[in-house]
Structure formats: structure tokens, C-alpha cells
Amino acid sequence: MPTYAPYASDATKPFSIGLSALDPKRWIEPDDDLKRYLDEKRRLEEDHFDDIFRAAPESIDAQQECLDLLVDHLLQAHGDRYSRSGSIMTTAGHAVDLADESRPPLLRAGSLVEDDLVILRKKPDGWTIIAAHLAFPSSWSLAEKFMRPMAKVHAHVPGFEGGTRNDTIINRVFDNLQPDLPAERFNWSINWRYALYHPVSVRPSTDPASRDIDPANAFVRVERQTLRKLKQTGDLVFTIRIYLDPVAVFERHPDGARMAQGLAAQLEAMTDEQIAYKGLAEKREELLRCLRSGAYA
């Protein structure tokens, strides 16, 4: 069942910043999918390392600070799932040596949680990605965004391009974020098939296998994102937790009708440019008919 359904809330609009204050105790939220996600991260580390991990030499201090902060948080807030003996941290059948210098600190950190971890540093041209463990990208390439400021990272996002009001607000928020006051936001998209590792947008025009997919068999890809400033370096840790919820779950969920209608309303309210960015232009009408059908009423 969906953990979060931002598409069903009038308070969460697509292509808006939508940041809210976050209790530090809720920074990371591991759940019963932890082993499955960590298994997939381990596989991706072996098969796609250069695609999922990048770090500038200058980021080592921030990486270590992130690792230390994350370990403290997990032991304090989630001691039922995590334990530590010496330098070995264990959870969900996985053991991570926190002192293993053959693996960068951020890689060790990302191997403990379902979330992806991105570190941003303020540079003359804006907040810039200086390190990232991005195992589960949502239609974007780390190689293309690494060591680029937010204006270039968001260059193709409608309404977030460099010089826009949203771009200005984002940089101001990043500047003013306080270490003990993290923030949270949500984003969502539609995936035509299940894939945590999703670096390329899959569209019917480019992926023949998805052309005949019934929208009822699609997945809502929800991103829970958090922002937290590191006390020592002043850098930012951006976390992204992916949830993949089948559209079909609406039929079984006690609040499924509201969720389906909320998703349909948000799809209908998007501009053509926004729909194209999310890769929904070719199946938007089919998906809307599915969501508005009697199955979810």
C-alpha cells in the first residue's frame, strides 16, 4: 500500500518547490523493503559503479560528516533495525565496515539506507553536486549532472530553469537552511514498468515493450526528498527515497478512489510542456480514462 500519496493532496502540486519543515527524528525512514533495496544497491555497485557513484576529491570531508551523522541517526532513531559492533554496522542481512577506506564514506553511507544521497556545496555559480550515491535515479544521469550547479541540473525542468523565480527561491532556501531544521518535499512520476534503477525516461515511442502496457499496470514513482545542512562543512545532504506503487493498488486501497481522482486531477492540470517532460504525452489520455473509470470510483 502507498506510504505517501502526494498526488492526492491539494497541498502538493507538481512542479512546485513544496518544502516543509521536517522533524530530524524522521530524517530517514527505513521500512520492511530495506533488504530488497540494499540487495539492489549492492548489485548496482558491482555492475554500474560509474553510473551510480561520483565524488570530487574536495568532497571527502562532507562525505565523512554525512556518514557520521547518518550512523548516529540510524542507531538512535532506528535501533530496532540497526546495530553496531566496533566499526561494523549491520542491518537487514547486510554488514558495512564504517572504517573501510577502500570504499568512499558516501558509498558506505548509501549502503545502509534505501535512500540515495547527494552532497551539494555552495560555489560561485550556485549550489553544486560534489558527491552522490545515486542508485535509483528517476530519468536522469548522474554523469550529466555531476559538478554542475542547480541551474544546470534543472535546465530542462519546466519552470525551474536558471533565472526563473523557482531557481532563485531554491538557492535562497539552500542558503538559509539550518543544520537542526531539515526540510522535506515530494515529487512523483509515472513508470510504465517496475524499475528502481531508472536512469533513462522510458516512453512508448522509444521503448516498444511499453507501447501495449495497460495504464492499470503502470507504477506511480514517488520520491520523498529531504534536505539537511551539515554543521561542520556547511554543505547540504539531499536524500531521495523511491517508492513504486502500482496504479492497480487504488482498487484495493480503502482510500483508493480519492488517490486515483487526485492523480487524475493533477495530470489534467499540467501543461503540455510538463506532460512532455514527465514522458506522459503518448499515454496521458489512456491513463486518465483508467483513473476516472468505475474501478476506482
Side-chain angles (χ1 to χ4, degrees):
M1 294 298 180
T3 302
Y4 292 104
Y7 46 83
S9 171
D10 290 337
T12 307
K13 298 292 186 183
F15 297 94
S16 64
I17 296 173
L19 278 171
S20 59
L22 175 66
D23 182 343
K25 294 178 181 178
R26 291 187 50 243
W27 179 33
I28 303 295
E29 297 183 333
D31 57 24
D32 291 343
D33 285 328
L34 181 59
K35 183 180 187 307
R36 184 163 59 84
Y37 277 56
L38 295 186
D39 287 348
E40 180 67 355
K41 282 192 174 186
R42 178 182 291 175
R43 184 190 71 80
L44 290 166
E45 183 178 341
E46 294 174 355
D47 298 343
H48 296 277
F49 183 81
D50 290 338
D51 297 321
I52 70 166
F53 188 85
R54 297 286 174 109
E58 68 188 74
S59 70
I60 193 68
D61 52 347
Q63 290 187 55
Q64 187 63 50
E65 187 178 0
C66 174
L67 174 60
D68 294 341
L69 181 65
L70 182 64
V71 167
D72 287 346
H73 169 77
L74 295 175
L75 291 173
Q76 291 177 19
H78 303 289
D80 58 328
R81 295 184 184 272
Y82 292 86
S83 62
R84 179 175 181 175
S85 177
S87 67
I88 305 300
M89 189 92 157
T90 57
T91 183
H94 287 252
V96 176
D97 185 349
L98 302 175
D100 181 3
E101 295 185 0
S102 70
R103 302 176 75 228
L106 194 66
L107 188 61
R108 286 172 256 161
S111 299
L112 292 168
V113 294
E114 290 147 295
D115 310 60
D116 283 336
L117 306 172
V118 179
I119 295 178
L120 303 161
R121 176 168 291 175
K122 182 68 176 292
K123 289 181 171 288
D125 52 354
W127 287 92
T128 299
I129 297 176
I130 61 168
H133 184 190
L134 188 80
F136 307 137
S138 296
S139 302
W140 63 284
S141 164
L142 177 58
E144 294 176 359
K145 309 296 185 183
F146 180 61
M147 293 303 292
R148 296 199 173 192
M150 285 297 96
K152 291 186 177 179
V153 168
H154 292 148
H156 302 294
V157 182
F160 283 78
E161 304 91 342
T164 60
R165 181 173 180 272
N166 282 333
D167 176 59
T168 300
I169 292 174
I170 286 173
N171 280 280
R172 186 180 303 137
V173 167
F174 287 6
D175 288 343
N176 295 329
L177 200 66
Q178 299 301 309
D180 296 324
L181 297 173
E184 175 185 63
R185 74 179 295 269
F186 292 90
N187 193 16
W188 64 267
S189 56
I190 300 294
N191 285 179
W192 302 114
R193 48 189 169 83
Y194 187 96
L196 286 170
Y197 177 65
H198 196 272
V200 178
S201 180
V202 176
R203 307 177 186 218
S205 60
T206 58
D207 179 41
S210 70
R211 289 175 188 167
D212 298 326
I213 290 177
D214 186 333
N217 295 324
F219 294 84
V220 185
R221 186 184 187 93
V222 173
E223 299 175 47
R224 177 185 181 257
Q225 305 172 355
T226 77
L227 279 166
R228 188 163 189 176
K229 182 162 284 189
L230 298 172
K231 290 182 179 180
Q232 297 173 20
T233 60
D235 296 330
L236 296 178
V237 177
F238 177 52
T239 75
I240 312 161
R241 167 64 199 278
I242 300 298
Y243 299 88
L244 282 167
D245 299 318
V247 168
V249 81
F250 297 149
E251 192 170 356
R252 306 189 303 271
H253 196 282
D255 202 23
R258 184 183 67 84
M259 292 178 178
Q261 299 314 308
L263 178 56
Q266 291 206 5
L267 284 168
E268 289 171 335
M270 285 185 194
T271 66
D272 290 343
E273 184 183 18
Q274 291 169 341
I275 286 291
Y277 174 79
K278 284 189 176 286
L280 296 172
E282 296 163 76
K283 280 185 173 285
R284 178 191 194 182
E285 294 307 315
E286 286 183 59
L287 182 57
L288 283 171
R289 284 195 296 272
C290 171
L291 295 169
R292 295 294 195 194
S293 72
Y296 307 127

